[in-house]
Amino acid sequence: MKTEELYQHFLKSPVISTDTRNIIPGSIFFALKGENFNANVFAAQAIEKGAAYAVVDEAAHATSEKCLLVDDVLSALQNLARHHRGQLNIPVIGLTGSNGKTTSKELVNAVLSERYQTFATFGNLNNHIGVPLSILAITSQVEIAIIEMGANHQKEIELLCTIAQPTHGIITNVGMAHLDGFGGFEGVKKGKAELYAYLKAHHGYTFINRDNAFLMEMSLNAGLNKLLYYGTENGNTIKGALKSSDPFIEVEWTNHETSSVVKTNLTGSYNFENILAAICIGDFFDMQPEEINTGLANYEPKNNRSQLTKTDHNTVICDFYNANPSSMTAALNNISALSADQKTAVLGDMFELGPESAAQHELIAKQATESGLDQIIFIGKYFYAFKDQLNGIFFETPAEAANYLQQHLIKNNLVLLKGSRGMKLENLLQYL
């Protein structure tokens, strides 16, 4: 079945399912394959559960007229998304970066939705499957879409751009993330710059943090010419200043015409640049300062990203959705700057660092032990390797750390809880 024909089915059944455990009646089920599964075998089950059609790429599983046979299910999904994107005559903001992607996406959405009917990537559906699903979820009522694009190797952003086809774009930053897949920091820069290359080739607009030397270098190399700058210096489209960040961020900003102050519910001074980015994008789309500030002030952080949580015993900075050396450094700098009688950091291993893993964990461990915190708990095999060299409490597994925390209750502390997603540090929150 060709893309155009499949699209006619999609117009009648404009909801996509990829998991038979959560089939939406009337949806189209795409039988994707993974390393450990082949969803072709569940096609008949998907139809039994109410799917209007099942897209398969193995003829043996095309057992009824409701089974739509294609050459490759993943390619069919991506091509369908490309075709749907071609029918949408709206601005699409492509957003990527090593840190702050999801928070920035949510902030931009919070701002723009004060005036426009917006669509934003749900959660972190930002990969080669998530981006097509996001694009296919955009309806004719949407006026502006914000599409988050993640990557852990080169050419991935390039692929996602061919699907999302952004008219506007922003790279939040480049840092020490996914070093294994990208082949080091220079590889990270090259991979993220694929968004700039797409915007240049398609005459798109780019929002750039002028204070970030790496982004300025990358934008210059890409030859971008439709540029909107934000930062702390004069001459930017949006100039901002961090007024306070203890514990919540307050920003003063100007767009050359008016100056205003906004108080947010975000913690972490590293979110200052994410807030400025959202302001810059809102200003570009002709929003009034009052609308922009309302969107920012009403945004409540969630998903365990820079989320301040009061427990029975402590105040916890829940920042355990993910971690890399850049975000870990920023988080440690932040807690060091905050006011509290007692401070504790509970840090989990950082994944996907490849050959640089040992060196990066040592650097973060040293920074933590030299940051003036009252107590530091390290969790995971990478940090554990330095237990005999550095001060701190070390555990190989979260389960061992949980046992310790149950027996040594932490009270009246400001606690930073941060580590890579695979460490599942959310399980420790109940003991803090």
Side-chain angles (χ1 to χ4, degrees), residues 189-205:
K189 290 165 60 179
K190 184 177 180 181
K192 297 300 181 183
E194 290 163 13
L195 175 58
Y196 285 170
Y198 182 90
L199 293 168
K200 168 65 175 177
H202 295 83
H203 312 290
Y205 290 88

Side-chain angles (χ1 to χ4, degrees), residues 152-164:
N152 57 20
H153 59 269
Q154 290 174 37
K155 298 297 183 180
E156 191 166 8
I157 295 296
E158 181 181 284
L159 168 68
L160 299 180
C161 282
T162 70
I163 298 170

